């Protein structure tokens, strides 16, 4: 349990002028982040709690899919990128740095070169294959127009994973694994991200999908078969090791039409117009199969089972972890503030004591707090000496899924009010029933 009076949560009453979209506005107003330079943000305690939850879901679902976590540095040697040929090609988006010995370094925008170098140093034969390695690390891209807060930042947190296989067939299996892992990851966060065929851009390769969340403020226009809107995407029970079932699932999923505006051509669209909806979308993930594009220049060469030397077959898999936080807000808010899905909310419950210092409300609040803690809920207790209106507005703004309001009148009868932030439903109940009530709503 954390007390609002002691917590560093600098909420703002007014809408900051520089914020054009809901996520940026609400993250600043809720005291989650603070801009320190253009496109660069500090994460304040409330924001960090959400970032860590998103990160943890990504981690658990990567591990479940057989990927292994590691951590590579943010700073990289330019020589690695000269070797792959991307040092010049990457252009102005790369932040280039010189160390005291005048050596060229850079703040990594992505890690294909480094992971190929690390993998290739240690794995020389098919016996070390296959592998999927990932890390969750800050990236820097000197975007020409950083905007919308975390949505298009210059420094941002990415989960980037890299697969190493012997054959194209195996590499495509890794790609299928990551496809399912991503669908499960985003569903667990309470959001629907739709995979869409995409351009490969500076990462390269010949197969790629973007994962797009539908939201009105999305940067790109997307065209979606209505069947996506209803579909459960997580394939419960499907094992990552069941290669043919996984392929069937992938084929089924990718046969449902969804395309970004770069790829969509209305004259060639395979589905009837009344089955198609046009929406705006935010890219929260992007996966690529690129074969030996990096293995050849980086000399990631291994000996196969026939004793022959060959380059590995690879793919890379990104999730914009910090962007996800903003994208969820874009997809889930109202005019009063954020509406967190329960799985990634910074706290489960906001506890509001309307008369701090009153013996009865203080005592009921303390008992509710104890019961919620015992039931495993994270509670933010607003014990500040503020007007009720301010407390209600702040609690709606920061968007915790449940609010428990303790007022003097009902407290005298041992009762409190529970509000569901998403539905707006309010219910008065004996304080002893609060934990069970919230537990039931969370499960259902
Ligand atoms: C995939 C992993 C890559 O970099 N290399 C390693 C591949 N792909 S990507 O599409 O360029 O980026 C992956 C995800 O990172 C997020 N992202 C950003 N988030 C915030 N601000 C940015 N400027 C930014 N650029 C990329 C996106 O979610 C993207 O899908």
């Amino acid at each position: 349990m954390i007390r609002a009076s002691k917590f560093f949560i600098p909420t703002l009453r007014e809408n900051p002028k520089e914020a054009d979209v809901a996520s940026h506005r609400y993250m600043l107003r809720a005291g989650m982040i603070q801009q320190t330079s253009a496109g660069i943000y500090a994460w304040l305690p409330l924001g960090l709690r959400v970032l860590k939850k998103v990160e943890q879901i990504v981690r658990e679902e990567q591990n479940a899919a057989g990927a292994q976590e590691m951590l590579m540095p943010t700073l990289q040697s330019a020589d690695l990128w000269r070797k792959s040929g991307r040092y010049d090609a990457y252009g102005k988006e790369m932040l280039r740095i010189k160390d005291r010995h005048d050596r060229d370094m850079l703040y990594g925008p992505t890690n294909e070169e480094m992971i190929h170098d690390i993998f290739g140093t240690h794995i020389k034969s098919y016996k070390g294959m296959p592998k999927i390695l990932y890390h969750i690390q800050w990236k820097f891209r000197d975007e020409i127009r950083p905007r919308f807060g975390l949505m298009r930042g210059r420094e941002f947190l990415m989960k980037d994973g890299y697969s190493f296989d012997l054959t194209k067939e195996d590499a495509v299996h890794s790609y299928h694994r990551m496809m399912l892992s991503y669908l499960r990851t985003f569903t667990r966060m309470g959001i629907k991200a739709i995979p869409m065929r995409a351009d490969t851009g500076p990462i390269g390769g010949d197969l790629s999908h973007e994962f797009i969340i539908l939201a009105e403020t999305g940067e790109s226009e997307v065209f979606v078969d209505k069947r996506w809107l209803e579909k459960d995407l997580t394939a419960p029970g499907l094992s990552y090791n069941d290669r043919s079932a996984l392929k069937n699932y992938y084929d089924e999923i990718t046969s449902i039409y969804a395309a970004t505006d770069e790829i969509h051509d209305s004259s060639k669209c395979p589905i009837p117009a009344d089955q198609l909806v046009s929406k705006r979308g935010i890219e929260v993930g992007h996966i690529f199969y690129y074969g030996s594009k990096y293995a050849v220049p980086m000399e990631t060469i291994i000996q196969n089972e026939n004793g022959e030397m060959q380059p590995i077959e690879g793919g890379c898999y990104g999730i914009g972890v910090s962007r996800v936080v903003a994208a969820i807000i874009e997809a889930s808010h109202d005019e009063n503030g954020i509406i967190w899905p329960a799985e990634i909310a910074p706290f489960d419950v906001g506890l509001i004591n309307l008369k701090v210092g009153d013996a009865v409300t203080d005592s009921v609040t303390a008992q509710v707090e104890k019961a919620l803690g015992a039931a495993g809920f994270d509670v933010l207790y607003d014990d500040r000496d503020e007007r009720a209106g301010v407390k209600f507005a702040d609690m709606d703004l920061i968007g915790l899924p449940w609010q428990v309001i303790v007022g003097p009148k009902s407290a005298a009868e041992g009762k409190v009010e529970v509000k569901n932030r998403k539905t707006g439903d309010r219910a008065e109940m004996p304080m002893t029933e609060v934990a069970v009530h919230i537990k039931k709503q969370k499960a259902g």
Side-chain angles (χ1 to χ4, degrees), residues 264-325:
H264 179 74
D265 176 348
S266 55
S267 65
K268 292 196 189 124
C269 183
I271 62 164
D274 63 353
Q275 206 183 309
L276 190 72
V277 286
S278 145
K279 301 226 175 227
R280 303 208 61 88
I282 301 167
E283 178 200 326
V284 287
H286 200 160
I287 61 177
F288 305 75
Y289 159 72
Y290 50 58
S292 56
K293 175 182 162 170
Y294 294 95
V296 169
M298 299 307 293
E299 300 171 280
T300 320
I301 309 292
I302 45 105
Q303 188 171 48
N304 67 24
E305 277 169 298
N306 304 323
E308 301 151 351
M309 303 308 285
Q310 63 153 91
I312 64 92
E313 281 278 318
C316 68
Y317 313 93
I319 293 180
V321 175
S322 49
R323 180 183 285 184
V324 163
V325 176

Side-chain angles (χ1 to χ4, degrees), residues 78-79 82 87 97-105:
D79 287 341
R82 292 199 175 100
Y87 189 60
I97 303 163
K98 273 197 196 294
D99 72 9
R100 67 195 296 162
H101 305 293
D102 222 26
R103 278 189 288 251
D104 292 324
M105 310 282 293

Side-chain angles (χ1 to χ4, degrees), residues 86 90 93 109-112 139 141 143 146-147 149-162 182 200 202-203 209-211 282-288 290 294 315-324:
R86 283 207 294 179
Y90 220 92
E93 275 199 14
T110 179
N111 285 63
E112 283 79 9
K139 304 287 185 288
R141 293 182 184 175
E143 301 272 351
R147 56 182 180 158
L150 298 168
M151 206 77 88
R152 185 163 296 282
R154 293 200 297 166
E155 190 184 44
F156 60 96
L157 189 60
M158 193 199 290
K159 185 287 295 181
D160 41 324
Y162 305 86
Y182 276 35
T200 55
I203 306 294
H209 285 88
E210 284 178 9
F211 288 75
I282 301 167
E283 178 200 326
V284 287
H286 200 160
I287 61 177
F288 305 75
Y290 50 58
Y294 294 95
C316 68
Y317 313 93
I319 293 180
V321 175
S322 49
R323 180 183 285 184
V324 163

